[in-house]
Amino acid sequence: MELHGQGVSSGIAVGEALLVERKAIAVLRLLLPQDELEGEVGRLRSAVEASRQQLQAIKERLARQAGSPHGYIFEAQLLMLEDPLLLDRTIAVIREEHVNAAWALRTVAERLQALFEEFSDSYLKERRTDLDDVLGRIQLNLAGAPGAHSLSRLPRPHVLVADEIPPSEAAELDWDNVLAVITDAGSATSHTAILARSRGVPAVVGLHDATRRIPAGALVVVDGERGRVEVDPSKPALAGYRAAQERDRAEEERLRGTRSLDATTRDGVTVRLLANAEFPEEASTAALYGAEGIGLFRSEYLLGRSLAWPSEDRQVELYRGLLRAVPPFPVTVRTWDVGREDLAPGGPSSANPALGERALRLLTRDPAPFLTQVRALLRAAVHGPIRMMFPFVGGPRDMRLARELVARAAYELSREGLAFRPVPIGVTIELPSAALTVDLLAREADFFSVGTNDLIQYLLAVDRTDPRLAPHYEPLHPAVLRALKRIVDAAGSAGRPLSVCGEMAANPLHALLLIGLGVHELSMSPAAIPRVKAVLRGATAASARSAAEACLGMATSAEIEDHLRRALGLALGAGVVVPS
């Protein structure tokens, strides 16, 4: 069986499929050998017993509260725990289907929930809520029990098959045991795709129904270059994929050998290649790939799954760690790029979070978390070259608010006698309003970084997280090229450094176009650096400028891409495949 999606991280991987279903917690389906089944039965019994004790304690606490009318609810749930329809059937599924306890419980839960739906009596139908509570409690106890399987501790290397993997779970993912990633949802600019690229893990997204069509434990081949997934391939096909894997490894080793070389074109133009980082450990990876610093650290990692603001001291230590990983190069930290949806689950939210109350717009609501972060960055600057960058800036007014915040933080630190240093203050150009006012923003900002992922989204009115709109997300759209040219020219006229940190920078063909438009600093996933460097070293800046100038007069993305491939073909021929 062959499935087709969007290839978002190149490479070929072969391995056993591990299915992941996300509900309140991640539920994995694992096929287990015979000698592990009774251990799973024991884990299930322990989780049920823990649930019984918890419910009994709640019931007794309520009984001590005079007049509490809710004890009967927990009496009913305790009876459900003792029902053989639940425990005995789940044990039977573990033994008969050789699966882990969490998945067996999910299987039985679906059957019981369907049974409840068939009841005609409204009272009995409403008891499904109690059933869901009981099942959820057992699952949570299973997840917290010794030996529980979770995304943070995978039993062995697998190809991960999921509906989607949100950033909070990706942060805890055991990437060392992930051979490849396959998701039903997602896009080239989703967090999962970005993380897979940074780790050099092949990934295919937007498959819609992979979690239903790929059996747990099936042998799966993932071709992240072509967006192809093959399930249980034939022996000749598998041999072909294995050979392609070996060629990819050899090419990767060859490219990694360039890490000590400058990214200098054949006609002597040097480009700085930096790394984007989602998590702190990626800074060390960036150094291995030859990055000249961190061009974008997405600080939202610090919020963790609890979505709690980290302390100032914790932030200082983390920023110091980033600086230690890439000396003597700079680290650029993007301040909180979050919205109310991220920080108040279940609370009021915007109809469209991408256009909602987020980032600097939250300053007027609660400046404290932003002030703490700025203080931490100023203190960390004592230990090395750090820069702070504000996202979602709409124009000069927003930047003035940011400047006021930095001034307030510096004043407080000075008054408290804490060591700090001034840092360069930059702007992420991702909103059309910022792109149109770069000359005015230059009066307030020390540097600029173009976030092409969001800039394209806002320019073209395309939700980049919606796979249905993938054909409309066009990095080479004439409007995108003209906006980029305007930004580069305005920043140059104002004498402000400018880099591009979106996914365009990681695509070798697009990177050459950016050089042709006048960009001399690119920041990308660490694993993309050797490939982009190899292409730049094989090209001339003059040919890139000529190609970019011609593209500015073209009307469609297809025309632009075709011209770039023809005009820059020589640069792309040295063993480097340019992603489609």
Side-chain angles (χ1 to χ4, degrees), residues 227-388:
R228 187 165 61 197
V229 175
E230 192 164 346
V231 183
D232 291 326
S234 65
K235 286 186 178 179
L238 184 59
Y241 283 120
R242 296 284 193 195
Q245 269 188 310
E246 289 305 312
R247 290 194 297 271
D248 283 353
R249 289 193 185 104
E251 177 68 2
E252 182 70 18
E253 285 303 311
R254 185 185 73 81
L255 291 174
R256 281 203 193 192
T258 68
R259 67 173 175 260
S260 61
L261 302 176
D262 291 333
T264 303
T265 63
R266 295 207 324 262
D267 51 353
V269 173
T270 298
V271 180
R272 291 187 66 206
L273 301 182
L274 299 92
N276 297 339
E278 190 96 14
F279 307 121
E281 58 268 26
E282 288 181 278
S284 299
T285 304
L288 291 176
Y289 281 106
E292 296 182 73
I294 303 298
L296 169 65
F297 176 68
R298 301 176 176 96
S299 60
E300 294 75 40
Y301 152 84
L302 282 159
L303 297 177
R305 296 189 69 173
S306 63
L307 296 177
W309 298 114
S311 70
E312 183 176 318
D313 287 341
R314 184 188 171 208
Q315 290 187 63
V316 171
E317 276 307 301
L318 184 132
Y319 302 144
R320 283 182 63 187
L322 291 174
L323 289 164
R324 284 195 296 264
V326 291
F329 300 118
V331 171
T332 302
V333 177
R334 185 181 69 187
T335 60
W336 306 128
D337 190 12
V338 294
R340 293 188 67 202
E341 293 76 16
D342 302 307
L343 299 171
S349 63
S350 305
N352 186 345
L355 302 176
E357 191 178 22
R358 62 181 304 106
L360 280 175
R361 292 179 180 176
L362 289 170
L363 261 181
T364 55
R365 179 178 295 275
D366 184 11
F370 295 89
L371 182 63
T372 299
Q373 184 175 38
V374 170
R375 284 172 54 103
L377 288 167
L378 293 176
R379 288 174 58 193
V382 173
H383 305 283
I386 206 161
R387 309 192 304 177
M388 74 173 74

Side-chain angles (χ1 to χ4, degrees), residues 485 510-519 541-549:
K485 180 61 175 171
H510 299 173
L512 283 176
L513 171 67
L514 291 167
I515 303 311
L517 291 173
V519 178
S543 64
R545 282 193 294 271
S546 177
E549 187 174 343

